[in-house]
Amino acid sequence: MEKIEHSKKKELSTNRKFLRLFWKLFGAGIAFVILIFAFANWGIFGAMPSFDELENPESSVATEIISADGKTLGKFYLENRIPVKYDELPQHLVDALIATEDERFRSHSGIDARGTMRAIFTAGSSGGASTISQQLAKNLFHGSSGSSNKLFRVIQKVKEWIIAVKLERQYTKNEIIAYYLNTVDFVSNAYGIRSAANIYFNKEPKKLTVEESAVLIGMLQAPSRYNPRFNPERSQNRRNIVLAQMAKNKKITEAEKVKYQAKPLKINYTPETHTKGYATYFREYLRDYMRKWVKENPKKDGSTYDIYRDGLRIYTTIDSRMQEYAEEAVEMHLANLQKEFFKQQKGNKNAPFIQINQDETNKIINRAMRNSERWRQMSAQGKEEEDIIKSFDVKTKMAIFTWKGEKDTLMTPRDSIVYYKHFLQSGMMSMEPVTGNVKAWVGGIDYKHFQYDHVAQGARQVGSTFKPFVYATAIDQLGMSPCDYIYDGPFTMPKGRYGIQQPWSPKNSGGKYYGSVTMKYALAQSLNTVTARLMDRVGPKAVIDLCRDLGVKSDIPASPAIGLGAVEITVSDMVAAYSTFANQGVYVKPRFVNKITDKNGVVLFESRAETRDVMNKDIAYAIVKLLEGVTEGGSGGRLRYTGSGGAGYHTMTGYPYAFKNPIAGKTGTTQNNSDGWFIGMVPNLVTGIWVGNEDRAAHFKSTVYGQGATMALPIWGIFMKKCYGDKTLYVSDEDFERPANISVLVDCWKRVANDSLIDGSQKRDSLAAPTESVPTEFNF
């Protein structure tokens, strides 16, 4: 009996020892877990985010370029991410996310205990253990571990839990939803839900449909595997699982689930890159501007803003609608004019160059080779010059630009240079004369293949578009008016006058002379000898001084020949100068940025118009009336034609321009037809256009196609037709504002018709026939 009792006591003692051991081990385990959490929280296993970091987690946010009408023109980024707020998300997108990724999101505090236990005891069960808050913690602060070490993975998970709980304390549920969707990488250069919606469906998140939202939420599990572009079948199956989860969680009905699941997968893939989209040349100009701006405008702590990471918002003056119309106008006209250019080059062994020999041609090609990316890369690799040159004669696969889209071909790099030299380029800028706001900017025909900006970067000879500066100087200094008569006939400026080395005898286009003509008629017909006579009276310096006041920054030689346009000026400077006439003599510096804010909307910069008085408003109005004469019957007269054929009929668009409202403008054509210009003005919009080849040696053979009235004016006509067709733009079709009690005679019809003759010649004020030859029809 005693033995049995002793045995029982011994057994009880043993059980108590095991029980105590169990509780000790259990307690130690709990303590170990607590210690693990404590150590993780204290940063023993690696730094944990501070309160400030939780409040402002670091992520790369793109700088957004916003048009005057609120559209995104483009972005500067390392990661293409623009955050959205919760109220910018459609409810069905939020419902799809919660139903698929974290069904109890609204009820837990960062960690879903049920989900975690399920993941532990039923590995691989649907739903997983990571809550949305945990996934956000992982995305923001430590990402995927990428390690097979189990202990390391456990520590990472612990840190993830701690951060998730802290995030839940720091942010509301709705903020966590938005934050999470902003951090996700949807691949295809789409970081965050806004970029994903725009790239895959070409719309803002708020406009996503239920099935589109399901596609994007379905990608969260494995963005590449369920990418609708590369794996449409997998993407559709995953989309249908998301829709099923939404139905299970009562976010859509069974009938809606069946309806949405039956729909085919449709995307509208719209990649966002620096070389695609609207206003590409302007965006690149803006990039250079911002690089300088951030250096001159540091943060409060002295550091520099990063335009690729800090999420700045640049509110520009560009109007997305006008920008679209401008780019369409350039494409519509030049795509067809290019056909004529190629046609005229047939049989030219030196194509596309004219009037130069083979040695000069080789110099142009060799210079282009040395400036090419191929040369730069091979030179950086230490290749010998001889080997680099040889490589330009080896055929290689390449994608070349055509007006019908990129074309894959086999071509030597040398031949590709010659091919690209054929293409007509264009620079176009549109600006409000009163505010200086730049509304449209087209720097070339395709930024991916031609990255030289012909608006602000490239200065070209301006031809007869320079003449209004001479006329303005004459009206100001000599007290002349548009209705004054001046003799148009052979004229020679003697050697030595204004420093010229040889006698100067300019001739009119076509060699015709018209005797006594009004200044208005002379400018409308772009008579060279009249401009030369005016230059002889006022002198080059006075004209140059006016140009400086008008904002022209180019070097202008003090030569009388500048009066005929022998000076290179940018499109942007020409538009600003002409805008001064439309703005009653007040120069306004072109302005393309309204304001810049940080990612939180704090205004960092607001621009102000920079203005200066240049000339009396009466003189400015007189120039406007002179320029109106150009479109009433001069070289810009085709803008008025209404017939279904002839010079004014634009077969490329299928309609005549038939403008009836007041338009002031001037065409310009340089020697050998290398540069064609047109600058057109209505009271609240001034638009300047240049067209020509990259090299002046490449050009049309005749003035019929090489003049500004053929190369540039049609772009203005198409653009303005589109602008007038869009009533939301409010482009003026009214008269230019006339100064009260104007002191300059501008109404030439008031002058007595048969005033005394000058030099025995018949006076002319009729604006009937332009002297520049005009093609009767475009036969493309």
Side-chain angles (χ1 to χ4, degrees):
M1 191 74 178
E2 288 181 5
K3 288 182 178 180
I4 294 173
E5 195 170 322
H6 177 73
S7 178
K8 285 182 177 179
K9 286 181 179 179
K10 188 176 181 181
E11 185 179 342
L12 184 61
S13 176
T14 302
N15 289 339
R16 285 174 179 171
K17 286 180 181 178
F18 278 118
L19 192 59
R20 282 197 296 271
L21 181 61
F22 169 78
W23 284 112
K24 284 180 180 178
L25 291 173
F26 181 78
I30 295 295
F32 178 75
V33 171
I34 292 172
L35 220 64
I36 290 289
F37 274 86
F39 285 169
N41 192 40
W42 295 336
I44 302 296
F45 302 130
M48 292 287 283
S50 65
F51 177 85
D52 287 339
E53 288 173 319
L54 286 172
E55 184 72 26
N56 300 290
E58 234 183 79
S59 60
S60 181
V61 180
T63 288
E64 187 174 13
I65 305 164
I66 303 169
S67 71
D69 54 322
K71 301 294 177 62
T72 299
L73 292 173
K75 304 167 189 172
F76 302 137
Y77 57 81
L78 297 176
E79 294 179 354
N80 184 14
R81 185 199 324 274
I82 296 292
V84 296
K85 297 178 180 178
Y86 181 83
D87 58 11
E88 297 176 82
L89 302 172
Q91 187 58 47
H92 54 255
L93 178 72
V94 176
D95 291 341
L97 173 63
I98 294 174
T100 307
E101 296 293 318
D102 190 356
E103 292 176 319
R104 286 173 291 281
F105 172 74
R106 296 290 183 186
S107 59
H108 64 64
S109 299
I111 301 173
D112 182 4
R114 286 170 57 184
T116 301
M117 295 303 294
R118 184 180 70 241
I120 291 172
F121 293 107
T122 57
S125 175
S126 64
S130 289
T131 65
I132 291 172
S133 303
Q134 287 173 255
Q135 292 179 51
L136 174 59
K138 181 169 63 177
N139 290 347
L140 285 177
F141 297 108
H142 66 79
S144 176
S145 69
S147 173
S148 59
N149 186 297
K150 290 185 178 181
L151 178 60
F152 182 81
R153 291 170 63 186
V154 167
I155 291 172
Q156 286 289 79
K157 182 62 71 173
V158 168
K159 291 170 70 176
E160 184 182 298
W161 285 341
I162 294 170
I163 297 171
V165 171
K166 288 183 176 181
L167 287 171
E168 289 272 351
R169 292 175 182 172
Q170 195 85 359
Y171 298 101
T172 66
K173 290 287 186 180
N174 289 351
E175 287 173 332
I176 288 173
I177 288 283
Y179 233 139
Y180 171 65
L181 288 173
N182 286 330
T183 64
V184 178
D185 180 2
F186 288 90
V187 301
S188 294
N189 207 26
Y191 293 87
I193 190 65
R194 187 178 178 199
S195 290
N198 276 279
I199 287 174
Y200 291 109
F201 297 105
N202 195 25
K203 59 177 66 173
E204 291 295 310
K206 198 74 173 178
K207 296 184 178 180
L208 290 170
T209 63
V210 174
E211 63 272 20
E212 289 169 346
S213 294
V215 169
L216 295 179
I217 295 303
M219 292 178 69
L220 296 176
Q221 188 178 85
S224 295
R225 179 177 176 80
Y226 298 117
N227 189 301
R229 183 182 173 213
F230 299 112
N231 299 301
E233 188 175 340
R234 284 180 186 169
S235 177
Q236 183 166 336
N237 292 337
R238 180 64 183 163
R239 176 201 71 178
N240 291 346
I241 291 174
V242 173
L243 292 168
Q245 284 294 110
M246 293 178 72
K248 174 189 169 187
N249 285 270
K250 311 298 183 187
K251 298 303 180 183
I252 58 175
T253 65
E254 283 294 323
E256 287 174 326
K257 180 194 79 171
V258 172
K259 180 181 74 172
Y260 295 137
Q261 286 181 337
K263 289 188 175 184
L265 178 71
K266 289 184 179 180
I267 66 171
N268 183 6
Y269 183 67
T270 312
E272 294 182 350
T273 70
H274 300 305
T275 61
K276 291 188 178 296
Y278 287 117
T280 47
Y281 291 89
F282 169 75
R283 281 152 44 192
E284 195 59 32
Y285 181 83
L286 184 62
R287 188 199 304 273
D288 286 339
Y289 170 85
M290 288 302 298
R291 284 171 177 156
K292 297 173 185 174
W293 184 89
V294 296
K295 291 179 181 178
E296 298 168 358
N297 297 270
K299 299 178 184 178
K300 290 182 179 179
D301 62 4
S303 61
T304 301
Y305 285 103
D306 187 333
I307 65 172
Y308 302 106
R309 299 178 61 91
D310 285 343
L312 301 177
R313 291 193 172 188
I314 308 169
Y315 293 85
T316 72
T317 62
I318 297 292
D319 187 289
S320 69
R321 297 158 296 184
M322 286 191 181
Q323 182 67 33
E324 180 180 356
Y325 301 152
E327 293 185 18
E328 288 175 350
V330 169
E331 180 176 350
M332 287 176 69
H333 180 58
L334 291 192
N336 284 280
L337 193 61
Q338 188 66 53
K339 295 176 186 176
E340 178 64 25
F341 188 84
F342 275 123
K343 187 169 74 173
Q344 290 192 16
Q345 293 299 325
K346 289 181 179 179
N348 177 11
K349 295 180 181 180
N350 211 26
F353 308 113
I354 297 175
Q355 297 173 334
I356 63 172
N357 58 39
Q358 191 61 50
D359 287 341
E360 291 172 315
T361 297
N362 291 337
K363 287 179 182 179
I364 293 173
I365 302 304
N366 289 336
R367 183 169 60 247
M369 287 165 52
R370 292 177 182 276
N371 291 333
S372 69
E373 183 65 15
R374 168 182 287 271
W375 190 288
R376 188 192 67 79
Q377 289 182 0
M378 293 185 72
S379 181
Q381 294 168 5
K383 302 287 186 182
E384 296 291 334
E385 184 173 309
E386 184 180 349
D387 293 331
I388 298 175
I389 293 173
K390 286 180 180 178
S391 75
F392 279 85
D393 292 315
V394 178
K395 286 191 175 182
T396 183
K397 291 181 179 179
M398 62 180 70
I400 60 171
F401 170 81
T402 77
W403 275 114
K404 295 181 179 179
E406 269 193 349
K407 178 183 177 182
D408 292 327
T409 188
L410 193 66
M411 182 183 289
T412 69
R414 184 189 295 272
D415 285 343
S416 73
I417 289 174
V418 175
Y419 170 73
Y420 281 128
K421 292 292 185 184
H422 279 76
F423 278 93
L424 293 162
Q425 300 293 331
S426 182
M428 175 180 181
M429 192 179 97
S430 202
M431 168 181 155
E432 291 177 344
V434 175
T435 64
N437 290 346
V438 176
K439 309 308 291 183
W441 179 306
V442 184
I445 59 175
D446 183 89
Y447 184 76
K448 181 178 179 181
H449 294 90
F450 308 95
Q451 297 187 358
Y452 192 80
D453 182 3
H454 292 283
V455 170
Q457 189 177 8
R460 296 291 292 243
Q461 283 198 9
V462 295
S464 293
T465 56
F466 192 88
K467 290 177 180 176
F469 306 147
V470 179
Y471 279 65
T473 305
I475 292 174
D476 182 27
Q477 292 200 355
L478 307 177
M480 300 183 73
S481 85
C483 305
D484 283 348
Y485 285 92
I486 191 166
Y487 184 68
D488 173 45
F491 170 80
T492 297
M493 187 177 291
K495 176 183 176 181
R497 189 158 176 78
Y498 301 120
I500 61 174
Q501 300 299 311
Q502 297 294 333
W504 182 48
S505 303
K507 293 179 174 56
N508 289 336
S509 175
K512 295 180 180 179
Y513 300 99
Y514 295 90
S516 183
V517 297
T518 62
M519 287 180 67
K520 186 174 183 179
Y521 181 87
L523 187 62
Q525 307 306 326
S526 204
L527 302 179
N528 291 336
T529 61
V530 170
T531 304
R533 289 177 188 277
L534 293 175
M535 177 63 81
D536 186 45
R537 296 182 65 181
V538 300
K541 184 180 182 304
V543 178
I544 294 171
D545 289 343
L546 175 62
C547 289
R548 290 285 173 258
D549 289 339
L550 292 172
V552 176
K553 296 181 285 292
S554 303
D555 289 332
I556 304 177
S559 166
I562 63 174
L564 305 186
V567 57
E568 296 183 347
I569 304 176
T570 63
V571 170
S572 58
D573 279 2
M574 288 298 288
V575 171
Y578 268 64
S579 292
T580 307
F581 303 136
N583 194 34
Q584 299 188 325
V586 179
Y587 169 82
V588 184
K589 185 178 179 179
R591 192 164 64 109
F592 51 88
V593 173
N594 277 321
K595 67 178 180 179
I596 301 170
T597 71
D598 66 14
K599 62 183 177 183
N600 298 315
V602 177
V603 176
L604 304 175
F605 168 79
E606 282 189 283
S607 67
R608 295 180 179 178
E610 297 181 34
T611 67
R612 60 173 172 267
D613 291 338
V614 174
M615 65 183 67
N616 181 287
K617 63 174 63 176
D618 291 1
I619 296 173
Y621 186 73
I623 298 299
V624 168
K625 298 305 288 183
L626 282 168
L627 293 171
E628 282 184 352
V630 175
T631 68
E632 288 168 0
S635 57
R638 66 176 66 185
L639 292 172
R640 305 290 184 188
Y641 296 165
T642 59
S644 59
Y649 186 70
H650 202 287
T651 58
M652 293 175 251
T653 58
Y655 52 69
Y657 302 120
F659 291 113
K660 297 179 180 178
N661 56 291
I663 298 170
K666 187 69 187 80
T667 59
T669 308
T670 62
Q671 191 175 20
N672 297 331
N673 310 302
S674 297
D675 305 271
W677 287 79
F678 182 73
I679 302 175
M681 306 191 297
V682 295
N684 66 347
L685 196 66
V686 178
T687 303
I689 300 151
W690 164 86
V691 173
N693 291 80
E694 181 183 279
D695 290 271
R696 289 181 57 81
H699 53 80
F700 279 108
K701 296 177 181 178
S702 70
T703 304
V704 171
Y705 287 98
Q707 63 180 299
T710 304
M711 291 212 290
L713 178 144
I715 295 174
W716 192 92
I718 300 168
F719 171 66
M720 292 300 289
K721 274 287 188 181
K722 289 176 179 288
C723 287
Y724 281 128
D726 187 339
K727 300 303 180 185
T728 65
L729 292 176
Y730 303 106
V731 176
S732 174
D733 60 359
E734 303 294 323
D735 287 316
F736 288 86
E737 184 177 351
R738 183 187 181 104
N741 302 316
I742 185 169
S743 59
V744 180
L745 179 63
V746 294
D747 301 317
C748 298
W749 54 269
K750 291 182 178 180
R751 186 184 283 276
V752 178
N754 291 315
D755 218 351
S756 58
L757 299 181
I758 299 179
D759 296 332
S761 303
Q762 183 181 0
K763 296 183 179 181
R764 300 202 46 161
D765 187 36
S766 166
L767 302 176
T771 57
E772 288 182 300
S773 56
V774 175
T776 56
E777 189 174 359
F778 287 101
N779 296 310
F780 295 161

